[in-house]
């Protein structure tokens, strides 16, 4: 079986993990949530295996390169980083309800990569502009940032749910972590994501300067990444200096993730140098 | 005196206006929202295209607000200048307000502050406070840089702190943003952005600027010795390579092959591989192979000059050189296209792709037309850029990453280990604060107290 075969199976593994997390949360079955963690771990292992195999396959085809060069490969990597980020948090905060909100995101990313007819899973050789040592650094930094924002998005949704219905013990909401913890977690994730988003923009700028002779050119992808940066910078300042907490930061975090998604997908609809498929 | 007060009034007001973080939030969100416009309206296109797309009214309206080059419009630049002033004034204001915290040689500690903390770790030890003092001092010294011991009403308080300097992290980030803007400004004042096409074997000494019509004279010459383009089997480009030589008064000084992502830099000017093209050759050698006799006839052909093919195989007229020609939906690259008129049949279009010289065999006609041996001459398209601000920007980049890391993940931490006599025993109280991430500090204090309890009991 080749890498795309394995990765399309992983789609369903992530789907199952998401289902288990949600099931365990709704029906309050801790044993199922433990199983969900194992399913997610197996999915992550398969995801990494798929990426490594794809890397090897590209060398066998005679034009080896890191599997980070097109929309398919980036989605697969994105799904992996989301699950990795989540599992680290699950371990640190020993709470599995977050998985019900985050694992489905990894499933969606993977499903989009594997099932969408518009996304080719063929391994293509690198075009001249992508042949750069900055490719790996740029893509990895961006997607670590994106995945932190994705988990922050899930956490913010949880916060808003928790915030709305105050103290119905026995309801679904009562199993969510405390609002304070969610708020703090959101903030931690946004800081982490912001550092890596900055690193991603910076490596991209240095790369652009070596390929195109300018570090910043206001192309739509660059501009949207800056818009995302502005939104999260607003969140950080509002929180640290003006003391915004809870609902307002949760909404900003959700808005920021909207900007991330547009930077990632929406920009391909607009004209620019980054639109993967058009080369 | 009175005069001074009047002068101070408006100045203070302006200063105060710029110290507001609410202003920062408003500017950041405005920048985010307005930046979207430029991604929806393609920037720097021909006026005629805009006119067609938007109509008279919106064309005029958008022009007034500079939306066709909005990132360089006065109002967008103004927002950036406001943000810069805001960042600088906010930072100065906060540094001067916090100077007693930021710049101290001997940090002072207030016992009451630690006693008031909600989260404290306590344990008891059988030794006296005086006996424990040295153990705890050594322990705190090991984990925190600066320490201080005070005598209290019941025993001792041992203070320690570290990471006071991390309070400068946020100012590092702010100065990095200012550096980026200064670098950008230096680039736009002292730099230029241009392009030049150089045919293989020729050299140039002036380039065309993006921003103005008249060419810019360089104080050296660039010669293109060779240009090569290679393709993958799929037809996607693999590599564009130009062999360049820099000449100073006719003398070769630098030679380098450049590819995309690997430019040539000389005297602060960088030359990037950005495009290429084929030079129109005025003469083309065609071969006509008769299917019946196998004879090959070669003829020189020019555009629109009919050629009579021997053996009464008809006439052939070369019509055009078609860029990225399509054949059954596939891109076959540049191709010459001509019309073949056999003696007693309808004219047919014949495609002669530059990359596939025997392409016409597939037509299975009575005559196979081929492109003769001819050295294709290319020109290389270079982007020629000078940006002296780029190193300032790169310094900003490095400072931003370091600053973000310090600001987000390091903190100024203080600890207080209080030794209080209680009966025959001593109560050890460990409390600590940090300027950031207080939850994590609480956990850290618990860990430290655990270690301290263990290490002191062993002694």
């Amino acid at each position: 079986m080749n890498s795309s075969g394995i990765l399309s199976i992983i789609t369903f593994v992530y789907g199952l993990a998401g289902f288990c997390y949600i099931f365990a949360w709704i029906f309050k079955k801790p044993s199922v949530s433990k199983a969900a963690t194992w399913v997610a771990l197996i999915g992550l292992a398969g995801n990494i295996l798929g990426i490594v195999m794809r890397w090897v396959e590209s060398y066998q085809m005679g034009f080896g390169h890191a599997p980070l060069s097109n929309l398919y490969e980036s989605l697969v990597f994105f799904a992996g980083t989301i699950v990795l980020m989540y599992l680290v948090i699950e371990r640190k905060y020993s709470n599995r309800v977050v998985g019900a909100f985050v694992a489905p995101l990894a499933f969606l990313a993977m499903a989009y990569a594997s099932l969408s007819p518009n996304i080719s899973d063929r391994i293509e050789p690198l075009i001249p502009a992508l042949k750069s040592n900055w490719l790996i650094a740029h893509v990895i930094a961006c997607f670590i940032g994106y995945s932190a924002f994705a988990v922050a998005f899930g956490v913010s949704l949880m916060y808003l749910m928790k915030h709305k219905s105050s103290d119905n013990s026995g309801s679904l909401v009562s199993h969510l972590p405390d609002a304070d913890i969610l708020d703090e977690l959101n903030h931690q994730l946004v800081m982490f994501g912001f550092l890596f988003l900055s690193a991603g923009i910076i490596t991209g700028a240095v790369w652009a300067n070596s390929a195109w002779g300018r570090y910043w050119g206001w192309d739509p992808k660059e501009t949207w990444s800056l818009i995302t940066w502005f939104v999260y910078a607003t969140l950080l300042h509002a929180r640290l200096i003006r003391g915004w907490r809870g609902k307002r930061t949760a909404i900003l975090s959700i808005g920021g993730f909207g900007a991330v998604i547009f930077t990632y997908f929406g920009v391909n609809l607009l004209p620019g140098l980054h639109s993967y498929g058009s080369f | 005196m009175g005069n001074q007060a009047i002068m101070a009034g408006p100045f203070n007001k302006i200063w105060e206006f710029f110290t507001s973080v609410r202003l920062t939030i408003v500017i950041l969100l405005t920048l985010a929202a307005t930046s979207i416009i430029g991604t929806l309206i393609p920037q720097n296109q021909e006026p005629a295209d805009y006119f067609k797309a938007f109509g008279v009214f919106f064309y005029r309206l958008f022009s007034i607000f500079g939306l066709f080059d909005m990132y360089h419009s006065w109002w967008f630049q103004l927002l950036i200048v406001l943000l810069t002033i805001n960042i600088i004034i906010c930072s100065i204001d906060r540094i001067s307000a916090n100077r007693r915290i930021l710049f101290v040689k001997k940090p002072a500690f207030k016992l009451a502050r630690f006693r008031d903390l909600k989260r404290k770790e306590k344990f008891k030890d059988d030794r006296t406070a005086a006996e424990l003092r040295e153990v705890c001092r050594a322990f705190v010294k090991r984990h925190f840089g600066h320490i201080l011991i005070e005598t209290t009403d019941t025993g001792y308080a041992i203070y320690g702190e570290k990471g006071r300097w991390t309070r400068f992290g946020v100012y590092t980030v702010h100065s990095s943003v200012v550096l980026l803007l200064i670098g950008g400004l230096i680039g736009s004042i002292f730099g230029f952005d241009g392009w030049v096409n150089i045919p293989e074997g020729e050299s140039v000494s002036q380039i065309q600027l993006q921003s103005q019509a008249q060419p810019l004279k360089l104080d050296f010459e660039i010669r293109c010795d060779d240009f090569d383009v290679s393709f993958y089997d799929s037809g996607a480009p693999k590599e564009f390579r130009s062999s360049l030589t820099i000449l100073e008064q006719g003398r070769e000084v630098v030679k380098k092959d450049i590819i995309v992502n690997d430019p040539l830099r000389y005297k602060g000017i960088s030359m990037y591989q950005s495009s290429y093209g084929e030079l129109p050759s005025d003469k083309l050698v065609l071969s006509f192979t008769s299917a019946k006799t196998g004879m090959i006839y070669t003829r020189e052909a020019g555009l629109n000059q009919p050629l009579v093919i021997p053996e009464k195989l008809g006439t052939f007229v070369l019509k055009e050189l078609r860029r990225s020609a399509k054949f059954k939906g596939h891109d076959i690259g540049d191709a010459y296209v001509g019309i073949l008129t056999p003696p007693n049949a309808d004219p047919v279009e014949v495609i002669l792709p530059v990359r596939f010289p025997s392409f016409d065999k597939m037509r299975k006609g009575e005559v196979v037309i081929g492109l003769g041996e001819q050295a294709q001459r290319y020109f290389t398209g270079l982007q020629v850029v000078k940006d002296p601000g780029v190193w300032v920007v790169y310094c900003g980049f490095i400072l931003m990453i370091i600053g973000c890391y310090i600001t987000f993940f390091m903190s100024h931490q203080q600890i207080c280990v209080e030794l209080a006599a209680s009966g025959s025993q001593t109560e050890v109280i460990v409390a600590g604060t940090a300027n950031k991430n207080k939850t994590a500090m609480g956990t850290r204090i618990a860990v430290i107290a655990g270690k301290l309890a263990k290490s002191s009991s062993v002694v």
Side-chain angles (χ1 to χ4, degrees), chain B residues 83-95:
Chain B
L83 182 69
T84 315
I85 298 173
N86 183 221
I87 288 173
I88 295 171
I89 292 189
C90 260
S91 301
I92 293 175
D93 187 63
R94 292 178 63 83
I95 288 175

Side-chain angles (χ1 to χ4, degrees), chain A residues 125-126 128-129 131-132 184 188 191 195 202 207 209-213 215 218 223-224 230 234 236 241-242 270, chain B residues 21-22 25 28 31 39 71 76 184 232 237-238 240 261 272 383 385 387 390 393-394 397 401 404 408 437:
Chain A
L126 290 181
K131 282 185 186 166
S132 166
E184 180 60 29
Q188 293 285 333
M191 289 195 299
L195 176 64
I202 287 170
W207 182 7
N209 194 40
S210 81
W212 303 320
Y215 51 83
W218 295 107
T223 308
W224 269 97
F230 283 147
T234 307
L236 292 169
I241 311 296
R242 297 205 54 85
L270 305 168
Chain B
V21 175
R22 192 175 288 158
I25 292 173
L28 282 174
L31 278 170
T39 69
Y71 302 110
F76 195 80
Y232 294 109
K238 185 176 183 181
F240 308 114
N261 275 312
Y272 297 85
Q383 191 172 358
V385 177
D387 188 350
V390 87
V393 171
Y394 281 12
F397 285 166
I401 296 292
C404 277
F408 296 150
N437 201 356

